[in-house]
């Protein structure tokens, strides 16, 4: 029996729409099933340069350029602490635990500019979904995927809810790009909570925040800012959305939010209040969105591919938003997966082995992200030392640019892991007092 489509994609966010664009451009029939009506608000509003080659490849970059999103030239980290931390042989380590990077410092293959964008995800995601449709994908919005039936060895059946009706569609394979809904991860019982990270975020938008007053230098005002709070494993993001609107969110361990009795507004202001200059600047601005909470941040999957299915983006893995990796992983996982999917289609073979290259590349890349993020939380001073020391700065910048999808292990990452192990094993080490509470990466999921 002829399938309705070559590929069914669950989810129309950046991962799903990018995959649909690649596959439709290759001449395949693709259906995208998105449960929400776009535009809709979404977190993950700051991109990294590794998104640029993908947007150029699928032909969407011109539309993103025309959208008027604020340009992102770099990233900055601030702290109110001034600690006479031992330099331990590193050069450039700041006692105020502040740092900044500019993307122009390192050339990146496939990137034709020294900036990326901060984006209103409602608009950004809609642009990508419309682009997929213009390239040739069939897009169904307001359609919820209830499950996928794999009983037929020749095709899959996607069970959908369209209004009050249940409608089934068939395809030769399915790509799960459902984000943190993790449709197939839940259905096939592949989802595993991360044993270390259990992050929680409360966020909103402010109109009129004086970003310049919070920036050490005027040329950093439109960076993404990570403001460290004097609370273990806790920080604030500050992301320009327009010339006047700024996204601000508090990220911490979920147990701390539970201890606040679940009052989002009180939680936000209590935590931001630990940085008086940040609190005062926000109080002088106008909040224009309700406080929203994001949980279930950190998980892994036992499998990210199988016979007639592939998981991409957040549906495959998510750790933590600290380095703005979400959209980059979405777009690049779609790029890498679609090479295997197109080859599988040409061969008429959608077995798991066909997606081995994708699985290997994505697991390696995400493992690098995981270890990098883990070290950041475990020994923050180590990240600050490496990002400022000329010996390691460019290699750290490579990771901050999202350039983790080649076959090379980041040189700085292994050096960071070695130093972390030495600090953990030596209670007399000068940096031992600065260890955080998270015990990663040794406790990372191995799948």
């Amino acid at each position: 029996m002829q399938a309705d489509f070559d590929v069914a994609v669950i989810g129309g966010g950046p991962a799903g729409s990018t995959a649909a664009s690649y596959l439709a451009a290759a001449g395949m029939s693709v259906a995208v099933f998105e449960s929400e009506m776009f535009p809709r608000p979404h977190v993950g509003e700051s991109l990294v340069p590794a998104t640029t080659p993908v947007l150029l490849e699928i032909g969407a970059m011109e539309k993103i350029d025309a959208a008027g999103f604020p340009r992102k030239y770099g990233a900055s980290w601030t702290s109110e602490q001034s600690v006479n931390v031992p330099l331990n042989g590193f050069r450039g380590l700041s006692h105020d635990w502040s740092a900044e990077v500019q993307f122009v410092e390192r050339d990146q293959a496939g990137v034709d500019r020294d900036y990326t964008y901060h984006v209103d995800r409602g608009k950004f995601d809609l642009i990508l979904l419309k682009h997929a449709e213009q390239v040739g994908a069939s897009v169904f919005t307001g359609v919820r995927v209830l499950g996928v039936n794999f009983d037929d060895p020749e095709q899959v059946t996607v069970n959908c809810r369209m209004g009050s009706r249940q409608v089934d569609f068939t395809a030769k394979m399915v790509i799960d790009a459902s984000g943190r809904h993790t449709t197939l991860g839940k259905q096939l019982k592949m989802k595993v909570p991360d044993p270390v990270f259990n992050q929680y975020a409360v966020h909103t938008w402010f109109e009129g925040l004086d970003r310049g007053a919070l920036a050490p230098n005027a040329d950093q005002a439109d960076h993404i800012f990570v403001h460290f709070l004097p609370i273990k494993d806790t920080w604030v993001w500050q992301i320009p959305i327009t010339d006047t609107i700024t996204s601000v969110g508090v990220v911490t361990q979920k147990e701390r939010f539970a201890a606040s009795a679940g009052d989002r507004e009180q939680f936000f202001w209590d935590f931001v209040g630990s940085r008086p200059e940040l609190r005062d600047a926000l109080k002088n601005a106008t909040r224009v969105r309700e406080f929203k909470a994001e949980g279930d941040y950190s998980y892994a999957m036992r499998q990210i591919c199988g016979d007639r299915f592939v998981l991409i983006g957040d549906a495959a893995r998510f750790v933590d938003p600290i380095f703005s990796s979400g959209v980059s992983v979405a777009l690049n996982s779609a790029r890498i997966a679609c090479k295997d999917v197109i080859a599988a289609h040409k061969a008429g073979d959608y077995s798991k082995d066909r997606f081995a290259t994708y699985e290997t590349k994505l697991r390696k890349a995400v493992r690098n992200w995981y270890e990098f993020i883990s070290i950041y939380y475990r020994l923050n001073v180590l990240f600050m030392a490496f990002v400022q020391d000329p010996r390691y700065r460019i290699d750290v910048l490579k990771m901050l640019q999202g350039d983790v999808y080649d076959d090379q292990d980041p040189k700085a990452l292994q050096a960071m892991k070695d130093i972390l192990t030495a600090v953990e094993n030596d209670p007399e080490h000068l940096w031992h007092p600065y260890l955080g509470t998270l015990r990663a990466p040794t406790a990372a999921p191995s799948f």
Side-chain angles (χ1 to χ4, degrees):
M1 182 178 178
Q2 181 69 32
D4 298 321
F5 299 97
D6 292 327
V7 179
V9 179
I10 306 172
S17 57
T18 298
S21 292
Y22 274 117
L23 299 177
M28 298 172 64
S29 62
V30 187
V32 180
F33 301 101
E34 169 54 50
S35 62
E36 298 190 68
M37 302 298 294
F38 283 22
R40 49 85 178 99
H42 202 285
V43 291
E45 299 150 322
S46 198
L47 308 184
V48 295
T51 59
T52 298
V54 180
L55 294 170
L56 289 168
E57 280 186 4
I58 65 173
M61 192 77 246
E62 187 175 334
K63 297 169 185 174
I64 301 301
D65 288 337
F69 297 125
R71 292 182 177 185
K72 175 184 176 181
Y73 288 92
S76 298
W77 295 263
T78 76
S79 172
E80 72 167 1
Q81 293 178 298
S82 181
V83 181
N84 191 22
V85 61
L87 299 182
N88 203 34
F90 282 87
R91 302 194 294 270
L93 182 59
S94 170
H95 292 310
D96 63 5
W97 287 25
S98 64
E100 60 89 22
V101 295
Q102 301 275 353
F103 298 136
V104 72
E105 297 177 59
R106 178 183 176 272
D107 292 334
Q108 186 172 351
V111 178
D112 62 351
R113 61 200 69 197
D114 61 358
Y115 61 87
T116 179
Y117 291 106
H118 308 287
V119 297
D120 174 344
R121 283 288 302 277
K123 295 178 180 178
F124 177 81
D125 292 11
L126 179 59
I127 290 170
L128 292 187
L129 188 59
K130 282 187 172 180
H131 179 76
E133 190 170 38
Q134 290 163 359
V135 173
S138 298
V139 174
F140 300 86
T141 56
V143 176
R144 180 173 297 280
V145 173
L146 304 176
V148 180
N149 188 309
F150 293 93
D151 291 344
D152 188 334
E154 300 300 320
Q155 60 187 16
V156 299
T157 300
V158 183
N159 312 126
C160 300
R161 174 72 65 188
M162 305 179 82
S164 60
R165 299 182 300 130
Q166 180 172 326
V167 180
D168 293 343
F169 295 90
T170 57
K172 295 174 183 175
M173 71 167 292
V174 62
I175 295 177
D176 186 359
S178 61
R180 296 203 310 275
H181 292 298
T182 58
T183 300
L184 287 184
K186 291 176 181 175
Q187 176 185 322
L188 301 178
K189 296 180 171 54
M190 301 183 298
K191 188 174 182 179
V192 182
D194 190 279
V196 175
F197 291 99
N198 190 18
Q199 306 300 79
Y200 200 85
V202 173
H203 58 94
T204 185
W205 281 7
F206 287 91
E207 172 86 40
L209 176 65
D210 187 351
R211 298 194 289 252
L214 294 171
N217 300 300
D219 63 352
Q220 297 178 39
D222 286 334
H223 280 195
I224 181 175
F225 271 80
V226 171
H227 300 293
F228 302 129
L229 299 186
I231 304 166
K232 285 281 190 182
D233 311 322
T234 303
W235 54 279
V236 172
W237 77 63
Q238 174 191 314
I239 301 172
I241 299 298
T242 69
D243 288 344
T244 61
I245 293 176
T246 307
S247 172
V248 181
V250 175
V251 180
T252 190
Q253 290 282 288
K254 189 173 182 178
E255 62 192 30
R256 293 197 181 94
F257 178 75
S260 71
D263 185 325
R264 295 174 184 174
E265 183 168 2
Q266 187 66 44
F267 167 87
F268 181 90
W269 289 114
D270 283 350
F271 275 64
V272 168
S274 65
R275 289 285 300 270
E277 82 288 0
L278 179 58
R279 176 200 60 208
D280 293 346
L282 291 170
K283 287 290 188 181
N284 287 328
T286 302
R287 181 166 58 86
V288 294
R289 278 192 173 177
E290 294 298 312
F291 287 103
K292 288 192 66 177
E294 305 288 336
D296 197 21
Y297 258 157
S298 308
Y299 51 83
M301 295 289 169
R302 290 191 177 90
Q303 285 180 249
I304 59 172
C305 61
D307 292 346
R308 298 190 182 274
F309 75 85
V310 166
L311 279 55
I312 62 175
D314 289 357
R317 186 77 161 92
F318 194 78
V319 180
D320 184 273
I322 183 67
F323 293 128
S324 305
S325 59
V327 175
S328 176
V329 172
L331 269 59
N332 280 283
S333 63
R335 172 181 62 85
I336 299 166
C338 283
K339 290 181 180 179
D340 283 359
V341 172
I342 292 168
H345 176 68
K346 289 178 178 178
D349 176 8
Y350 299 90
S351 61
K352 179 181 178 180
D353 289 347
R354 281 283 170 182
F355 313 118
T357 299
Y358 165 68
E359 182 173 26
T360 300
K361 281 183 173 289
L362 188 71
R363 287 204 182 280
K364 183 174 183 179
V366 174
R367 185 182 70 245
N368 287 337
W369 272 123
Y370 187 96
E371 292 179 344
F372 189 40
I373 292 169
S374 300
I375 290 168
Y376 175 89
Y377 278 108
R378 181 62 171 150
L379 188 57
N380 185 256
V381 65
L382 182 57
F383 167 79
M384 301 301 285
F386 267 69
V387 79
Q388 295 181 92
D389 192 308
R391 294 172 297 175
Y392 301 107
R393 182 175 175 85
I394 297 302
D395 202 42
V396 173
L397 180 55
K398 181 179 189 289
M399 291 185 281
L400 293 172
Q401 290 173 321
D403 194 1
V404 296
Y405 299 95
D406 55 25
D407 293 327
Q408 299 178 0
D409 288 325
K411 297 175 183 176
L413 187 57
Q414 186 58 54
M416 294 172 87
K417 289 161 63 176
D418 291 343
I419 293 174
L420 175 58
T421 299
V423 174
E424 289 180 325
N425 292 338
D426 182 6
E428 302 302 317
H429 195 285
L430 295 173
W431 284 355
H432 197 272
Y434 300 99
L435 285 170
T437 56
L438 299 183
R439 294 290 306 181
T442 55
S446 58
F447 28 76

